[in-house]
Amino acid sequence: MKDDIVIYTGSFGSGKTELAINQSIKAIKKKEKVVIVDLDIVNPYFRSREMREKLKELGIKVVAPPGKFAMADIPLISPEIKGTIQDSDRLLLLDVGGDDVGAKSLASFYTVLKDTGYQMNLVINPYRPFTKNSAEILTMLREIEISSRLKINGLISNPNLGSQTDLELITRGHKIVKDVSKQINLPVKYLAIEQTIYEKIDKHQFEEPIFVLQRYMKLPWDEKNK
Amino acid sequence: MAEKVLMKGNEAIGEAAIHAGCRYYFGYPITPQSELTAYMAKRLLKIEGAAFIQAESEIAAINMVYGTAATGGRVMTSSSSPGISLKQEGISYIACAELPCLVVNMQRGGPGLGSIQPAQQDYFQATKGGGHGDYHLIVLAPSSVQELVDLTIKAFDLADKYRNPAMVLGDGLLGQMMEPVEFREKKNADLPSKEDWALGSCKGREPRKVVPFNLDPYELEKLVAKIGKKFEKMQDEVEYELINMDNPDIIIVAYGTVARVARTTIQKAKQEGINIGLIRPITLYPFPYKIINQYADKVKHILVSEMSLGQMLEDVKLAVEGKTKVSFYGRTGGVVISPTEILQEVKKILK
């Protein structure tokens, strides 16, 4: 399995874009060459392309529809993507739109990806509607696999209620993801915890690696007080 | 206790509607509210006796709402700005026929096809008619995802109470953002029965009709007067929030997303020794004229901020009755105002 093509899929709002952005910034700090592909054809706001300028400054390339088209709600898939997948010598992060509908855009790269190999993660937040328990999560997983024509080979546990997340909530949500992992024998690659919450809690109880997440997709009123 | 869920605003409206007993949704997708249509499709199709139809157009959808409302069903539609324009004829008919329903508008930049980014440019359309004739919608303006839930439920109840269409007026940002929400146990509002007017089988009673006209001008005048009386009564429903109103240097009046931005402005200003108060209208119709008028006596300046060229501004000016200065700061096109921008504007005024 190739480690340098990482695909993020999952339900709407499960945290794919934040994870991809965080991963890209971590990798660039290690001097790796990083490319993010924004494959989101379903969300109109909060897409990784909104971070394009900031990421560019850090040396991360974002592949997304150019110029004004980036602000449109049309299912544009950049012709650059195929070439980027075939390149080597870089870490490629594919940020896919939510649900099976969003994953459909992946199917067009099936012929390339089946040869290159890939890591495809299902990002799970059990506090989102339609992925609240293992039955729902398994349905989501199957629907995404069918529509993308690709196989999910890892789970990312991202249990959170935004700013109201606490240890009890993470523990309860993470257990749901672990149960799914046991049922279908797929590894939980890591547990994602937002930084401010991470700093406050005792995390020794978790067996999986913890991925400390920073929130980059902010709301207009989140502007920090000076 | 209700479990909390992390929801997008658009999804939250859908779940709130179902929670409120709405079983009929008719709509046509448009960014940035399509998740609501999609959510209703997913959820309603699993509920027995419920109906979801993706109509062939917005005009078709609002007329399906009209028909369902005539039978007494709890029914809704939703769209975003250009789509809401298309529904106006139907909304006017529903108001004339005195039927309850919910219309959700998650506004985007206008005029015309505009943009898909958030805006507040449909205030006039929402509060002053939109369609033709003498009528008003009950208009509620949420400012968080939880409030999208609470006000959606409330809008259904108010629509039933007054037999008048109600609108939840949000914007794309509120629709797309995610926040934790809970669906509190439903209080049974004391609502009038629909038995004496709803259409259905007329076996054993006189047939009824629901019509949006009366060709006799004197009869129509009576109907319009009756509708007018309802608007007088609706003034009791005024709702607003007051924030930091203890002897402020200036008062901001803002609703929805901009009110949320203004809260951060208040915090920032405090650090610089400036005391800003905020009046946040929750009902845009009926508008909280009285409270704004009362505060107009106490403050030297009122700043209205909207993501428009200044629409609610006109109602604030009416409320103020010239008692104090009223200024305006707005952005349009889908640009969201930042806390810093409002603070700069406040400083300019206070200089």
Side-chain angles (χ1 to χ4, degrees), chain B residues 29-91:
Chain B
I30 178 171
T31 309
Q33 68 78 53
S34 297
E35 296 81 6
L36 173 49
T37 313
Y39 192 89
M40 291 310 254
K42 253 187 174 166
R43 288 281 280 117
L44 283 181
L45 292 176
K46 286 185 190 141
I47 299 174
E48 213 184 294
F52 167 91
I53 296 177
Q54 179 175 325
E56 67 270 37
S57 72
E58 285 85 351
I59 298 168
I62 192 66
N63 284 293
M64 291 174 188
V65 169
Y66 182 16
T68 307
T71 66
R74 237 183 195 195
V75 57
M76 73 176 289
T77 184
S78 66
S79 190
S80 179
S81 308
I84 296 291
S85 295
L86 284 167
K87 293 183 197 285
Q88 292 303 331
E89 183 196 46
I91 294 172

Side-chain angles (χ1 to χ4, degrees), chain A residues 5 82-83 85-86 108-118:
Chain A
I5 297 179
K82 203 171 166 185
I85 295 173
Q86 283 162 331
S108 52
F109 305 109
Y110 165 75
T111 47
V112 194
L113 285 166
K114 76 172 173 26
D115 295 334
T116 58
Y118 55 87

Side-chain angles (χ1 to χ4, degrees), chain A residues 37 41 87 172 194 219 224 226:
Chain A
V37 173
I41 54 163
D87 277 350
R172 196 151 42 94
E194 198 270 331
L219 289 161
K224 274 209 184 105
K226 262 188 229 147

